[in-house]
Amino acid sequence: AQSVTQLGSHVSVSEGALVLLRCNYSSSVPPYLFWYVQYPNQGLQLLLKYTSAATLVKGINGFEAEFKKSETSFHLTKPSAHMSDAAEYFCAVTLPPSKLTFGTGTRLQVTL
Amino acid sequence: EAGVTQSPTHLIKTRGQQATLRCSPISGHTSVYWYQQALGLGLQFLLWYDEGEERNRGNFPPRFSGRQFPNYSSELNVNALELEDSALYLCASSDRDHGYTFGSGTRLTVV
C-alpha cells in the first residue's frame, strides 16, 4: 500500500520568503504524486501532479515540486510567498486508477 | 468545462436520520471517489465507483453506502446518523489521464 508523510503540520513564512512544504512517500513501485491546496470551507484544488514524466513539475500559482526517487520525496516549493498562499496543503499518492491516499496536511501561514 | 458538482452545499440532520449526498462528475470521467474530512481526522477515503461498480471501500461501517448511476453521477448515503458523522464530504472524479478533480464538498452537520 502507498502512503505519504507530511513533515510539519504548521509552517510559517514571511511574505516574500521561500515556501518549502515537505512530503515523503512510500510505494513499492513508482507512484503518481499530487499536491492539493484547500482554502477554508472549500474543496481541494490541484496544484500539480507527477505522473512519471519530468521529475521537476511546475504547477499553478508559481508552485513547483521535484520527484526524488532516491530520497522518496516530493517537496513543494515556491520562491516567494504571498499572503494569498495561506491555506492548507495536502500531498497525495496513488497507483492509478486507485484512490488517492493523503497526508495529514500542512497549514501554511504567511506573515507580513 | 463544468467541474465536479456536489449538492447540497450544506445539510443539517438529526441523529438517527439518513443523509443523501450527490455528486456529478466532470463530463467523460467514469470514476467517482468519496472522502470524509472530519475535524482533526484528515481526508479519509470512503468509496470508489467506476463504470457503475463499487471498486474499493474505506474503513467505514456499512451504514455508509452509495451507488453510481449510468450517467456516472453518484450518491453517498449515510444511515443512522451519529454526531461524529459531522464532516465535510468531498467527491472527486478522475479521467484517463489520472487527474483527480474535487468538488466543493457537502458540509454535513448532525445535531
Side-chain angles (χ1 to χ4, degrees):
Chain A
Q2 300 76 44
S3 65
V4 289
T5 301
Q6 291 185 241
L7 298 176
S9 58
H10 289 84
V11 170
S12 182
V13 300
S14 300
E15 190 174 37
L18 171 72
V19 175
L20 171 61
L21 305 182
R22 300 178 186 275
C23 174
N24 287 89
Y25 70 90
S26 175
S27 178
S28 57
V29 297
Y32 284 18
L33 292 158
F34 302 77
W35 276 100
Y36 286 89
V37 61
Q38 185 178 35
Y39 298 98
N41 298 313
Q42 293 188 25
L44 300 176
Q45 181 182 12
L46 179 66
L47 284 175
L48 50 81
K49 63 181 179 182
Y50 168 76
T51 59
S52 74
T55 56
L56 181 62
V57 182
K58 294 186 183 298
I60 63 171
N61 302 339
F63 285 95
E64 64 180 39
E66 186 172 6
F67 174 76
K68 292 187 177 180
K69 185 178 178 181
S70 61
E71 299 177 8
T72 62
S73 68
F74 190 59
H75 302 330
L76 182 70
T77 60
K78 181 174 181 178
S80 177
H82 191 272
M83 295 297 289
S84 61
D85 294 327
E88 187 143 24
Y89 292 79
F90 292 92
C91 182
V93 63
T94 189
L95 293 177
S98 186
K99 69 184 192 304
L100 290 171
T101 298
F102 287 89
T104 51
T106 297
R107 185 166 299 278
L108 176 65
Q109 180 182 21
V110 183
T111 59
L112 289 171
Chain B
E1 177 183 78
V4 177
T5 305
Q6 291 188 246
S7 62
T9 305
H10 293 84
L11 189 58
I12 300 176
K13 291 288 187 177
T14 303
R15 189 170 49 184
Q17 285 187 317
Q18 178 196 40
T20 297
L21 289 63
R22 296 178 177 84
C23 174
S24 293
I26 290 174
S27 177
H29 288 195
T30 62
S31 278
V32 171
Y33 308 80
W34 288 96
Y35 287 83
Q36 181 197 65
Q37 188 176 28
L39 195 62
L41 294 179
L43 287 151
Q44 303 294 320
F45 167 72
L46 271 163
L47 290 158
W48 168 27
Y49 292 96
D50 182 62
E51 299 282 357
E53 300 288 330
E54 182 180 302
R55 301 297 185 187
N56 198 1
R57 181 183 181 84
N59 188 26
F60 280 84
R63 58 190 187 84
F64 286 83
S65 65
R67 55 180 170 168
Q68 187 178 35
F69 298 98
N71 66 353
Y72 304 119
S73 66
S74 177
E75 272 184 2
L76 173 68
N77 295 292
V78 188
N79 294 318
L81 284 165
E82 300 178 2
L83 295 178
E84 51 265 35
D85 297 333
S86 295
L88 180 67
Y89 288 83
L90 292 167
C91 169
S93 71
S94 175
D95 60 12
R96 298 303 177 200
D97 291 328
H98 313 305
Y100 297 75
T101 304
F102 282 81
S104 298
T106 293
R107 173 75 62 186
L108 173 64
T109 302
V110 183
V111 297

